[in-house]
């Protein structure tokens, strides 16, 4: 049996996805295919490393030191052909935390931050909650694929109030794997206007159909000096609960500002199991990941085939990365509230509503297919029931 076909009961594990669905959606007995964690067990080597550490029995103060940094450094080189120094690596309990700390340490209240909607909703939240102004460079959906509006981007970068840009690379929820040319043009425009790019690259290991991830900072020293890169094993190996992320800042001045702010917030290091899980995943997880990617591609193919045959009014934006499928429901001529009601009440299916991702997300839903194929098929049957 393919290990990814195995179902695991996640109830009563403090799972946000499974144990809090009623609290979040206000309804019982729905299939949760919303929040971005997978229903697969972590690689065996990670489980073994965590069990070994747990069995030691002493959980005193620990620190993410040379071993964790070496694991990150090696992974970036072998997986993404990116040479980084251990000195450039800092750690964070999560990437959303790192986004907030980047905004607070590198901008002032009232400054403007560029985002590209529809996009991961904490980009909006962290900007607004820190009293910065959102400037939206909305993506264009052309022939079923998202593109950057560079003319609009350049115009908005020219505003001296813009100090920072939040980039989603690869893109969530649209699944775009930005190309070298696109990233180079974006990065050079930002550098020209002295705008720092904070690049959320958490989905970078989950490249589908032969697409290659390009870390923005790997393109040139100039772009490395104007950027912060946020990475983590959490999406790749389903370790979000360990709260372990790596923040790569080659520019010493930016790194000092960021690290000083971390210290002012009282951040010291990762937790013991976060360190252990990160090291084990980046050291031993590549073969497991290769098998996962193949399985996810088949899941995506299943979604595309089913919707094409059974729900022709819907359109799938085929992802180039991630285990998240962005589905265009606009031909149904329903409001987001009506779509959500049909999904929950008729289909008994919990998906992320598109309006959550800002302008351009209206009329879409996001489905998490990082789960056994039997669950994908069950979700699709419920989707058909919702819109039949």
């Amino acid at each position: 049996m393919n290990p990814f076909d195995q179902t695991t009961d996640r109830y009563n594990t403090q799972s946000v996805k499974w144990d809090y669905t009623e609290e979040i959606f206000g309804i019982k007995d729905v299939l949760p295919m919303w929040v971005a964690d997978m229903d697969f067990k972590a690689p065996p080597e990670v489980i073994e490393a965590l069990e070994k550490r747990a069995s030691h029995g002493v959980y005193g103060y620990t620190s993410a030191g040379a071993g964790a940094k070496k694991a990150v450094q090696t992974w970036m080189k072998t997986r993404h052909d990116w040479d980084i120094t251990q000195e450039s690596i800092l750690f964070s309990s999560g990437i959303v935390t790192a986004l907030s700390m980047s905004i607070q340490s590198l901008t002032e209240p009232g400054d403007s931050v560029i985002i590209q909607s529809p996009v991961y909703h904490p980009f909006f939240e962290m900007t607004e909650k820190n009293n910065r102004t959102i400037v939206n460079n909305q993506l264009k959906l052309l022939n079923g694929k998202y593109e950057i509006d560079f003319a609009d981007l350049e115009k908005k970068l020219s505003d001296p109030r813009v100090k920072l840009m939040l980039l989603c690379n690869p893109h969530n929820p649209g699944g775009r794997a930005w190309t070298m040319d696109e990233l180079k043009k974006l990065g050079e425009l930002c550098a020209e206007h002295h705008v720092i790019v904070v690049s959320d690259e958490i989905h970078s290991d989950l490249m589908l159909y032969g697409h290659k991830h390009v870390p923005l900072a790997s393109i040139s020293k100039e772009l490395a000096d104007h950027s912060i890169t946020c990475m983590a094993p959490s999406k790749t190996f389903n370790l979000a609960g360990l709260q372990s992320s790596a923040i790569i800042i080659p520019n010493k001045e930016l790194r000092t500002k960021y690290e000083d702010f971390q210290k002012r917030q009282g951040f010291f290091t990762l937790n013991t199991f976060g360190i252990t899980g990160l090291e084990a995943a980046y050291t031993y997880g590549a073969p497991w990941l290769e098998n996962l990617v193949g399985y996810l591609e088949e899941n995506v193919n299943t979604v595309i085939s089913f919707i094409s045959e059974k729900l022709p009014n819907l359109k799938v934006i085929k992802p180039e990365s991630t285990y998240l499928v962005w589905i265009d429901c606009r031909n149904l001529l329903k409001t987001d509230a009506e779509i959500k009601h049909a999904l929950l009440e008729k289909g008994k299916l919990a998906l992320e509503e598109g309006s959550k991702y800002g302008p351009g997300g209206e009329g879409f839903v996001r489905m998490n297919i990082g789960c056994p194929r039997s669950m994908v098929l069950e979700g699709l049957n419920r989707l058909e029931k919702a819109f039949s």
Side-chain angles (χ1 to χ4, degrees):
M1 180 182 185
N2 188 321
F4 297 113
D5 282 327
Q6 179 183 343
T7 58
T8 302
D9 184 355
R10 296 185 61 190
Y11 284 114
N12 301 313
T13 61
Q14 297 81 49
S15 167
V16 171
K17 186 176 184 179
W18 290 88
D19 290 325
Y20 290 88
T21 297
E22 182 182 1
E23 183 177 319
I24 292 166
F25 288 91
I27 186 170
K28 290 182 178 180
D29 303 323
V30 294
L31 181 66
M33 300 181 75
W34 59 288
V35 70
D37 75 359
M38 297 188 287
D39 290 298
F40 304 130
K41 290 186 177 181
E45 295 86 353
V46 174
I47 297 171
E48 181 182 350
L50 291 170
E51 288 175 341
K52 182 178 179 181
R53 182 65 187 87
S55 69
H56 183 273
V58 178
Y59 314 118
Y61 289 116
T62 50
S63 181
K69 289 189 173 186
K70 180 65 175 176
V72 173
Q73 181 186 41
T74 302
W75 184 262
M76 295 307 153
K77 176 60 178 175
T78 57
R79 195 80 192 173
H80 303 299
D81 194 27
W82 183 22
D83 288 303
I84 61 173
T85 65
Q86 290 188 30
E87 183 184 36
S88 69
I89 303 168
L90 302 175
F91 293 101
S92 171
S93 58
I95 285 182
V96 175
T97 302
L99 296 177
S100 179
M101 289 195 171
S102 298
I103 291 168
Q104 292 180 75
S105 62
L106 301 176
T107 67
E108 298 294 334
D111 285 346
S112 295
V113 176
I114 291 182
I115 62 173
Q116 297 175 304
S117 75
V119 74
Y120 183 48
H121 54 88
F123 281 28
F124 297 92
E125 293 169 9
M126 293 304 101
T127 303
E128 292 173 332
K129 286 183 182 297
N130 286 304
N131 300 312
R132 273 63 168 178
T133 301
I134 292 172
V135 175
N136 188 22
N137 170 229
Q138 187 170 329
L139 298 174
K140 300 184 294 184
L141 184 57
L142 302 173
N143 301 315
K145 188 174 182 178
Y146 281 103
E147 304 286 349
I148 296 170
D149 186 341
F150 280 106
D152 181 67
L153 176 61
E154 185 166 16
K155 178 182 176 182
K156 287 171 176 172
L157 285 169
S158 66
D159 184 338
R161 292 170 294 186
V162 172
K163 304 297 183 182
L164 201 72
M165 178 173 183
L166 301 181
L167 173 68
C168 202
N169 175 35
H171 184 255
N172 170 18
R176 260 307 306 275
W178 303 117
T179 65
M180 171 79 78
D181 288 343
E182 288 170 318
L183 292 168
K184 188 171 186 288
K185 186 172 182 178
L186 180 149
E188 289 178 348
L189 282 172
C190 287
E192 178 185 342
H193 292 281
H194 309 289
V195 171
I196 303 301
V197 182
V198 181
S199 186
D200 174 359
E201 304 191 5
I202 196 171
H203 292 282
S204 58
D205 299 321
L206 298 165
M207 307 305 291
L208 306 177
Y209 306 108
H211 289 279
K212 179 175 172 55
H213 174 68
V214 181
L216 175 74
S218 71
I219 295 173
S220 69
K221 185 179 185 305
E222 179 187 34
L223 300 195
D225 280 341
H226 284 83
S227 64
I228 291 175
T229 303
C230 304
M231 295 278 199
S234 52
K235 303 300 182 192
T236 310
F237 301 104
N238 209 26
L239 304 178
L242 298 184
Q243 299 187 323
S244 180
S245 303
I247 314 303
I248 303 164
I249 313 178
N251 182 298
K252 185 176 180 181
E253 182 181 352
L254 295 183
R255 189 168 66 248
T256 298
K257 288 181 180 179
Y258 181 95
E259 191 170 20
D260 284 349
F261 186 83
Q262 273 192 320
K263 290 175 180 177
R264 291 200 300 275
Q265 300 306 304
F267 177 81
F268 169 54
T269 190
L270 301 178
N271 73 77
T272 299
F273 296 103
I275 298 167
T276 301
L278 178 147
E279 289 189 23
Y282 281 153
T283 304
Y284 304 109
W288 181 92
L289 175 57
E290 293 303 320
N291 291 329
L292 170 69
V293 167
Y295 194 86
L296 293 177
E297 289 173 349
E298 286 303 313
N299 277 357
V300 173
N301 294 342
T302 298
V303 172
I304 292 173
S305 177
F306 184 98
I307 288 179
S308 176
E309 180 183 347
K310 301 287 185 67
L311 292 163
N313 281 337
L314 306 187
K315 296 178 182 178
V316 177
I317 308 303
K318 186 177 182 179
E320 299 169 346
S321 177
T322 80
Y323 49 78
L324 306 168
V325 179
W326 191 232
I327 303 172
D328 185 348
C329 306
R330 290 175 295 176
N331 284 340
L332 297 175
L333 302 179
K334 294 179 181 290
T335 65
D336 285 323
E338 290 170 335
I339 290 171
K340 183 177 181 179
H341 183 267
L343 288 168
L344 293 175
E345 299 294 340
K346 291 180 64 180
K348 299 296 183 182
L349 179 64
L351 303 182
E352 291 273 42
E353 56 189 299
S355 57
K356 190 173 183 177
Y357 299 88
E362 304 88 350
F364 288 77
V365 293
R366 193 189 76 171
M367 174 182 275
N368 176 354
I369 52 86
C371 55
R373 195 151 302 129
S374 59
M375 193 181 298
V376 173
L377 291 168
E378 175 65 22
L380 290 170
N381 286 326
R382 292 179 184 227
L383 186 69
E384 182 183 17
K385 185 176 180 181
F387 297 138
S388 62

